[in-house]
Amino acid sequence: SGSVSETFYSSLVPASLAVDLQAHLAWVVGQLGQDLGVRSRQIPDIYLAGNDSLLKQVALATGTTIGFEDGFYRSSGIRPGIYMCTDFYATGVRSILTHEYTHLVVQEAAQGKRLPAWVAEGIARDTELRLGLRGARPDATLLRVFNDSDIAKDAAISGSLPELTALESQSNWNAQTDPALIRIQYATAYMAVRYLAET
C-alpha cells in the first residue's frame, strides 16, 4: 500500500523498487499537474513484472495483447492500472512509469476523442524525457534526448522519416515489429511534439 496508489509485484521485483516507484508516481502526478494543469481522475495502481515473459503473462490474464511494449495501462475493465516490466536500469523503469501515466492523463483529457498515435506517443515520450531531465539522473535522460534527435535527423537525411499521417493508427503503431522502425516511430513522434511545444 502506498500514499497515492497500490503496487502489486511479481517475483524478481525488489520490494524497495515498488516503494520507490510509488514515490516516483506521486512526483510525476505533481509535475504534470504543475506543468500542464492535468492529472488523472484516480491515481492508478501499479503492477510490476520482473521480466518480459511475466509481463506478457499478466497482460494475457487481463485480456491485453502486447508486442514490443515494456509497459501498458488499462483505464477500465479487469484490474485497471499501469503494468510494466522492471528488468531495466532505474532511470528506464521510472521513464516507463512516467510514459504510461502520461498516456492515462492524455486519454482522459481527450474526453473520448481518438488522438493520432504520433500525438499520444509523442506527448508521452516528451513528458518522460522532460521529467527525466529533472530527475535523479538527468545525464542518462539527456543521452536518450540526443539519441532520439539523432535517429530522427538520420531518418530525415536518408529519406526514411515517416510522414505523420502514416503514424496515426495506434493499432498499426503497436503492430510494428522491426526494432529500428519502432525507434524511428518514437523519435519522429517525440520530435514533432517537441517542435509543436517549442513553437
Side-chain angles (χ1 to χ4, degrees):
S1 294
S3 60
V4 295
S5 69
E6 304 295 319
T7 300
F8 303 89
Y9 56 97
S10 73
S11 59
L12 307 177
V13 178
S16 59
L17 179 61
V19 172
D20 289 347
L21 289 178
Q22 286 177 337
H24 179 73
L25 181 57
W27 180 76
V28 169
V29 168
Q31 293 297 304
L32 282 179
Q34 187 177 34
D35 289 357
L36 306 176
V38 295
R39 64 183 294 165
S40 66
R41 291 185 297 271
Q42 179 179 345
I43 307 304
D45 289 337
I46 306 170
Y47 298 87
L48 306 175
N51 58 38
D52 184 60
S53 174
L54 289 170
L55 181 64
K56 283 186 167 59
Q57 288 178 35
V58 171
L60 188 61
T62 63
T64 304
T65 303
I66 61 171
F68 65 82
E69 299 95 332
D70 296 318
F72 64 94
Y73 75 94
R74 294 178 53 81
S75 58
S76 60
I78 301 169
R79 299 262 184 205
I82 294 174
Y83 293 76
M84 49 189 287
C85 189
T86 62
D87 59 349
F88 301 97
Y89 54 92
T91 303
V93 173
R94 286 191 295 270
S95 289
I96 294 168
L97 183 56
T98 302
H99 186 101
E100 296 306 326
Y101 177 73
T102 302
H103 276 313
L104 180 61
V105 169
V106 167
Q107 181 188 34
E108 288 181 3
Q111 299 177 352
K113 295 181 182 88
R114 185 176 296 271
L115 296 175
W118 71 266
V119 173
E121 296 296 344
I123 291 171
R125 182 67 151 221
D126 178 63
T127 301
E128 80 175 81
L129 295 176
R130 195 168 28 79
L131 295 187
L133 291 171
R134 297 181 201 163
R137 296 191 60 223
D139 289 344
T141 301
L142 192 57
L143 180 62
R144 294 178 64 219
V145 170
F146 291 148
N147 190 41
D148 273 8
S149 300
D150 286 344
I151 288 170
K153 179 181 175 185
D154 289 346
I157 290 170
S158 70
S160 61
L161 188 71
E163 296 286 332
L164 293 179
T165 54
L167 300 176
E168 290 184 352
S169 166
Q170 191 68 54
S171 59
N172 288 349
W173 182 287
N174 293 343
Q176 184 56 257
T177 58
D178 182 328
L181 294 178
I182 291 167
R183 287 191 293 273
I184 290 173
Q185 283 181 168
Y186 278 103
T188 302
Y190 164 61
M191 295 306 293
V193 166
R194 182 175 162 188
Y195 174 79
L196 290 172
E198 289 176 357
T199 57

